[in-house]
Amino acid sequence: MDSESTVTTCYRHPKVECHVRCTRCERYICPDCMREAAVGHQCPECVKEGARSVRQARTLVGGRVSAVPVVTYALIVLNVLVYLAELARPEVVDRFSMVGAGLVGPDGGHFLWTDPYPGGFSPEGLVGGEWYRLLTGAFLHLPPTEGTFGIAHIVMNMLALWNLGRLVEPMLGRVHYLALYLLSALGGSVLVLLIAPGDSVVGASGAIFGVGAAYYVLARRVGADMGQVNRFMGGLLLWLVVSALVTSWEGHLGGLLAGGTVALAFAYAPRNGRRTVVQVGACVALVVVLGAAAAVKVSELTGGGIPQ
């Protein structure tokens, strides 16, 4: 009789009388602490413990699943903000575009690289130590004053990024997708340096071509219907050819190759404890190869050192 008359209280709220036990730890819990479970109720601590033990869903390449392509949206916003900065201060393009080898005259004018170059001129671009241009150029676009292409440059690129990013980012996960995008941009800039070091190149096209290559690789990896994918890649390759007349085909091809390489490493890395090591190792190796190629080319342009 005494045991039946004993008042039981919630282990989290000792002043609250209750008669329900947690189905996992069997401690008494009050209505405020009850969490609906498959059978009965559980306390908040057991619910948290159970959540930690549940295996988190992962993408094909091992990234965290994300239904909202946040990185794609952020990249679009960043490109648009930079474009507005260009409109407000046009000199931003000359300062941050991808230039491998150029010259700045005494009056601030920009000229093609010559070796040796006239007195009073200073080196510009990667030969001048401005290595940041390898990435910053991928966030710039042609101003409206650049002929018929003008503002269509950023509009077309952002539309392509909007359509492709919403497909590829959920398949990769945010971190993998951002790494792919930046490495594709880097690959495009390095090929520009190797083939056309005197050109001033802007645009996200190289990075977008890399995302397009990733879409193709991932579609094959998951066994998707390749009819539509092949038509898409045909259009992408056609634009690669047409771009030779309008923008920088070197940047597009470099981004395509770099993005395809990264996507292959992501998609076909072994599904075990070494997957992350293989993926990170592939990205680091690509950065080393691209960095070494860029350094060798700049050394050739400057004869081993920037002339004084």
Side-chain angles (χ1 to χ4, degrees), residues 138-161:
F139 294 92
L140 298 168
H141 289 84
L142 294 174
T145 54
E146 288 291 327
T148 56
F149 202 47
I151 196 170
H153 190 208
I154 187 171
V155 172
M156 292 172 63
N157 276 347
M158 293 305 100
L159 283 175
L161 181 56

Side-chain angles (χ1 to χ4, degrees), residues 5 7 17 21 63 65 97 103 116 140 166 200 203 251 265 270 276 287 307:
S5 62
V7 176
E17 181 178 353
R21 291 175 182 265
V65 174
S97 62
L103 294 172
L140 298 168
R166 290 185 299 162
S200 176
T276 300
V287 171

Side-chain angles (χ1 to χ4, degrees), residues 35 48 122 187 218-219 222 274-275:
R35 301 294 184 268
K48 290 181 181 179
S122 57
L218 294 171
V222 300
R274 296 193 302 273
R275 176 159 66 177

Side-chain angles (χ1 to χ4, degrees), residues 87-262:
L87 298 181
R89 299 180 66 86
E91 61 270 22
V92 167
V93 176
D94 291 329
R95 188 70 182 84
F96 294 99
S97 62
M98 171 53 207
V99 176
L103 294 172
V104 178
D107 59 352
H110 301 270
F111 305 92
L112 295 178
W113 173 268
T114 59
D115 187 15
Y117 55 82
F121 287 72
S122 57
E124 177 185 36
L126 270 62
V127 297
E130 299 168 344
W131 292 91
Y132 55 82
R133 291 178 181 265
L134 287 170
L135 285 180
T136 56
F139 294 92
L140 298 168
H141 289 84
L142 294 174
T145 54
E146 288 291 327
T148 56
F149 202 47
I151 196 170
H153 190 208
I154 187 171
V155 172
M156 292 172 63
N157 276 347
M158 293 305 100
L159 283 175
L161 181 56
W162 170 269
N163 289 313
L164 272 174
R166 290 185 299 162
L167 294 173
V168 176
E169 184 177 344
M171 298 173 74
L172 289 177
R174 293 172 183 172
V175 175
H176 289 77
Y177 175 74
L178 181 60
L180 172 89
Y181 187 92
L182 294 177
L183 287 173
S184 298
L186 180 63
S189 294
V190 170
L191 195 60
V192 170
L193 170 67
L194 297 179
I195 298 177
D199 289 353
S200 176
V201 177
V202 295
S205 304
I208 294 171
F209 266 77
V211 176
Y215 175 54
Y216 179 80
V217 170
L218 294 171
R220 290 191 64 88
R221 181 69 177 83
V222 300
D225 178 10
M226 296 305 294
Q228 181 178 353
V229 177
N230 288 333
R231 287 192 294 272
F232 164 77
M233 289 305 297
L236 199 67
L237 294 176
L238 176 61
W239 174 238
L240 178 62
V241 174
V242 174
S243 66
L245 304 174
V246 185
T247 57
S248 169
W249 68 267
E250 300 92 347
H252 295 177
L253 180 60
L256 184 74
L257 296 176
T261 300
V262 174

Side-chain angles (χ1 to χ4, degrees), residues 251-284:
H252 295 177
L253 180 60
L256 184 74
L257 296 176
T261 300
V262 174
L264 286 170
F266 284 171
Y268 291 94
R271 293 190 176 186
N272 52 36
R274 296 193 302 273
R275 176 159 66 177
T276 300
V277 175
V278 171
Q279 292 173 343
V280 173
C283 292
V284 171

